[in-house]
Amino acid sequence: MTLEGHTLSPDESFGVFNRSSSTFVLPSLPFEVTALAPITGAETLGVHLGKHHQAYVDGANRLMEPMVKKFETAVDVISFARSVEAHGLLEQAGQALNHAFFWTCHQAAGLTRPEGSLEIAINDKFGDFTGFTDAAIALGKSRVGSGWIWLVADHEGAVRLELTRDAETLLDDPSLAVLLVCDVWEHAYYLDRASDRAGWIDGFFGQLADWSMAKSRYEHRLCREPDAT
Ligand SMILES: [Fe+2]
C-alpha cells in the first residue's frame, strides 16, 4: 500500500479559516479548559488559546485586511505569502494554522498509545513507543528556540519525526501526511513546568496526544497502488 499525497482540503483548516469572509478565526475547542490538566493546566490553556493563538489570528487578519485578494483556505494564504515572500503574513498565518491543528491533536478520553498499522510503523522506525518518545524529546531539546515537533508519514507509509523552527508549518507539504504536532514554544508549557521541555514533550505524546486521530489520519491516507485502476 502507498500513502496518498496529502494536501489540505478546504474543510481541513481545522476551524481556523472562514472562507466567506476570507479571515482567520479562533477555533472552538471540544473540551473544557480543565480537561488537559495536569499536563496542561487551565491557566496555560487559557493563555495559549486566548492570548497567543488569538494574537496570531488577529495578526494574520490585520495583514490581509488591505488586500483585494480573497482566499479559500488557510493553506492558500500560506502559499500566497510564500510566493510573494510576505514573511510577516507567513509567520502569522503559519502560527494560526499550526495552533488550530495542534488543538485537534489533543484528546480527553481516546487512545493514549498508537494502535494497528500506525503502531507497526512507529515500532519499525523507533523500536517501540518509548523509543518514539525518547526520539521526540531528543529532537525537541535539540531546538534552542521555538518550534514544532511533527509526526508525519511519507508516500510509502513510513513515519518519521520532523522539527520546524518558529512559525514554519508542514501542513501545506503535499508529500506528507501530518499525523500529530507538539508545540515546543515555551508558552505551551512554561506556566506548568517552567523550563522542563522534555517533561512537556513526554506528557504530550504519552498522555494528551490523540492517537485515535493520528491512526485515522494514517489509515485514511493508505490507498491503492498508484498504478492500479
Ligand atoms: Fe503555541
Side-chain angles (χ1 to χ4, degrees):
M1 289 187 288
T2 59
L3 199 68
E4 190 174 71
H6 178 55
T7 302
L8 292 179
S9 60
D11 61 353
E12 275 191 292
S13 285
F14 316 112
V16 75
F17 202 76
N18 183 318
R19 203 183 326 179
S20 61
S21 60
S22 187
T23 56
F24 284 85
V25 294
L26 196 70
S28 300
L29 301 191
F31 43 78
E32 299 294 325
V33 72
T34 56
L36 307 180
I39 304 300
T40 298
E43 185 180 8
T44 295
L45 182 53
V47 170
H48 200 169
L49 178 71
K51 300 293 185 184
H52 293 281
H53 192 171
Q54 182 72 63
Y56 301 128
V57 167
D58 294 344
N61 288 341
R62 192 163 49 246
L63 292 168
M64 291 162 59
E65 195 171 10
M67 295 180 181
V68 175
K69 182 176 177 59
K70 301 300 177 192
F71 301 93
E72 293 284 311
T73 67
V75 167
D76 287 345
V77 178
I78 288 166
S79 299
F80 170 77
R82 277 195 211 285
S83 70
V84 299
E85 299 185 0
H87 299 296
L89 179 58
L90 187 58
E91 288 179 349
Q92 298 294 327
Q95 283 292 86
L97 179 59
N98 283 355
H99 278 90
F101 180 64
F102 171 64
W103 299 125
T104 73
C105 293
H106 291 74
Q107 56 84 34
L111 283 179
T112 56
R113 292 291 182 276
E115 288 185 350
S117 56
L118 178 55
E119 180 184 20
I120 292 169
I122 284 177
N123 290 348
D124 281 349
K125 176 68 176 178
F126 301 101
D128 55 21
F129 188 71
T130 299
F132 163 76
T133 54
D134 287 348
I137 290 168
L139 192 59
K141 289 174 71 175
S142 73
R143 173 74 184 127
V144 174
S146 302
W148 299 83
I149 296 173
W150 307 80
L151 175 62
V152 301
D154 66 17
H155 282 247
E156 303 303 319
V159 298
R160 67 177 188 269
L161 287 163
E162 293 279 356
L163 175 68
T164 60
R165 300 164 60 93
D166 302 327
E168 290 174 19
T169 187
L170 295 181
L171 289 164
D172 64 333
D173 185 338
S175 72
L176 299 175
V178 180
L179 309 179
L180 289 172
V181 73
C182 177
D183 185 342
V184 290
W185 286 59
E186 284 188 342
H187 63 229
Y189 58 88
Y190 206 85
L191 289 175
D192 293 310
R193 56 185 69 245
S195 60
D196 182 15
R197 178 178 287 185
W200 156 240
I201 296 168
D202 189 52
F204 174 79
F205 284 112
Q207 298 184 57
L208 292 184
D210 188 346
W211 287 101
S212 297
M213 183 202 73
K215 178 172 177 278
S216 175
R217 290 177 65 82
Y218 184 78
E219 292 175 345
H220 282 111
R221 280 154 183 80
L222 289 174
C223 61
R224 62 180 170 75
E225 296 295 332
D227 55 354
T229 57

